[in-house]
Short mmCIF file of all heavy atoms in Angstrom, two decimals:
data_model
loop_
_atom_site.label_atom_id
_atom_site.label_comp_id
_atom_site.label_asym_id
_atom_site.label_seq_id
_atom_site.Cartn_x
_atom_site.Cartn_y
_atom_site.Cartn_z
N HIS O 23 71.56 141.92 59.94
CA HIS O 23 70.27 141.67 60.71
C HIS O 23 69.16 141.38 59.75
O HIS O 23 67.99 141.15 60.20
CB HIS O 23 69.93 142.75 61.77
CG HIS O 23 70.86 142.62 62.92
ND1 HIS O 23 70.45 143.19 64.04
CD2 HIS O 23 71.94 142.06 63.25
CE1 HIS O 23 71.31 142.93 64.96
NE2 HIS O 23 72.29 142.34 64.47
N GLU O 24 69.41 141.37 58.40
CA GLU O 24 68.38 140.94 57.53
C GLU O 24 68.01 139.50 57.55
O GLU O 24 66.95 139.10 57.09
CB GLU O 24 68.84 141.30 56.08
CG GLU O 24 69.87 140.33 55.47
CD GLU O 24 71.39 140.79 56.01
OE1 GLU O 24 71.49 141.90 56.60
OE2 GLU O 24 72.35 140.04 55.78
N LEU O 25 68.68 138.70 58.49
CA LEU O 25 68.33 137.42 58.73
C LEU O 25 67.16 137.38 59.64
O LEU O 25 66.40 136.43 59.65
CB LEU O 25 69.46 136.73 59.44
CG LEU O 25 70.72 136.40 58.50
CD1 LEU O 25 71.73 135.61 59.42
CD2 LEU O 25 70.50 135.64 57.23
N PHE O 26 66.97 138.37 60.37
CA PHE O 26 65.93 138.34 61.50
C PHE O 26 64.59 138.76 60.66
O PHE O 26 64.57 139.63 59.83
CB PHE O 26 66.08 139.35 62.54
CG PHE O 26 67.23 138.92 63.53
CD1 PHE O 26 68.57 139.36 63.20
CD2 PHE O 26 66.98 138.17 64.42
CE1 PHE O 26 69.50 139.04 64.12
CE2 PHE O 26 68.01 137.75 65.43
CZ PHE O 26 69.25 138.20 65.16
N CYS O 27 63.36 138.37 61.21
CA CYS O 27 62.15 138.89 60.84
C CYS O 27 61.64 139.81 61.98
O CYS O 27 62.12 139.85 63.04
CB CYS O 27 61.16 137.85 60.41
SG CYS O 27 60.42 137.00 61.67
N GLU O 28 60.55 140.44 61.57
CA GLU O 28 59.97 141.28 62.61
C GLU O 28 58.91 140.53 63.37
O GLU O 28 57.96 140.13 62.89
CB GLU O 28 59.14 142.51 61.82
CG GLU O 28 58.72 143.61 62.66
CD GLU O 28 57.89 144.58 61.81
OE1 GLU O 28 58.24 144.90 60.71
OE2 GLU O 28 56.86 145.07 62.46
N VAL O 29 59.25 140.50 64.69
CA VAL O 29 58.33 139.78 65.61
C VAL O 29 57.20 140.69 65.80
O VAL O 29 57.48 141.81 66.28
CB VAL O 29 59.08 139.29 66.82
CG1 VAL O 29 58.00 138.65 67.76
CG2 VAL O 29 60.23 138.43 66.49
N GLU O 30 55.90 140.23 65.67
CA GLU O 30 54.87 140.99 65.95
C GLU O 30 54.71 141.51 67.30
O GLU O 30 55.06 140.75 68.29
CB GLU O 30 53.46 140.21 65.78
CG GLU O 30 53.23 139.90 64.25
CD GLU O 30 52.24 138.70 64.07
OE1 GLU O 30 51.02 139.06 64.22
OE2 GLU O 30 52.68 137.59 63.95
N GLU O 31 54.40 142.74 67.57
CA GLU O 31 54.27 143.30 68.85
C GLU O 31 53.50 142.63 69.93
O GLU O 31 53.73 142.34 71.00
CB GLU O 31 53.94 144.81 68.86
CG GLU O 31 54.08 145.33 70.26
CD GLU O 31 54.35 146.92 70.23
OE1 GLU O 31 53.72 147.63 69.57
OE2 GLU O 31 55.35 147.25 70.75
N SER O 32 52.30 142.09 69.31
CA SER O 32 51.36 141.34 70.10
C SER O 32 51.98 140.09 70.62
O SER O 32 51.57 139.58 71.74
CB SER O 32 50.05 141.02 69.29
OG SER O 32 50.43 140.29 68.11
N TYR O 33 53.01 139.48 69.91
CA TYR O 33 53.59 138.27 70.47
C TYR O 33 54.47 138.60 71.60
O TYR O 33 54.57 137.82 72.56
CB TYR O 33 54.26 137.62 69.27
CG TYR O 33 54.98 136.40 69.66
CD1 TYR O 33 54.25 135.18 69.40
CD2 TYR O 33 56.27 136.25 70.13
CE1 TYR O 33 54.78 133.99 69.77
CE2 TYR O 33 56.84 135.01 70.47
CZ TYR O 33 56.13 133.91 70.25
OH TYR O 33 56.59 132.56 70.71
N ILE O 34 55.15 139.74 71.39
CA ILE O 34 56.11 140.14 72.47
C ILE O 34 55.31 140.44 73.77
O ILE O 34 55.80 140.12 74.85
CB ILE O 34 56.97 141.28 71.95
CG1 ILE O 34 57.83 140.84 70.76
CG2 ILE O 34 57.87 141.71 73.10
CD1 ILE O 34 58.61 142.00 70.09
N LEU O 35 54.18 141.04 73.52
CA LEU O 35 53.44 141.64 74.66
C LEU O 35 52.76 140.49 75.36
O LEU O 35 52.24 140.73 76.65
CB LEU O 35 52.46 142.73 74.35
CG LEU O 35 53.18 144.03 73.80
CD1 LEU O 35 52.22 145.05 73.39
CD2 LEU O 35 54.10 144.58 74.95
N ASP O 36 52.63 139.38 74.84
CA ASP O 36 51.85 138.27 75.45
C ASP O 36 52.88 137.57 76.43
O ASP O 36 53.79 136.81 75.97
CB ASP O 36 51.35 137.30 74.38
CG ASP O 36 50.58 136.12 75.05
OD1 ASP O 36 50.76 135.90 76.19
OD2 ASP O 36 49.90 135.44 74.27
#
Side-chain angles (χ1 to χ4, degrees):
Chain O
H23 284 202
E24 68 281 350
L25 294 183
F26 290 95
C27 77
E28 187 184 325
V29 179
E30 288 162 84
E31 185 147 61
S32 56
Y33 185 87
I34 299 176
L35 293 178
D36 184 344

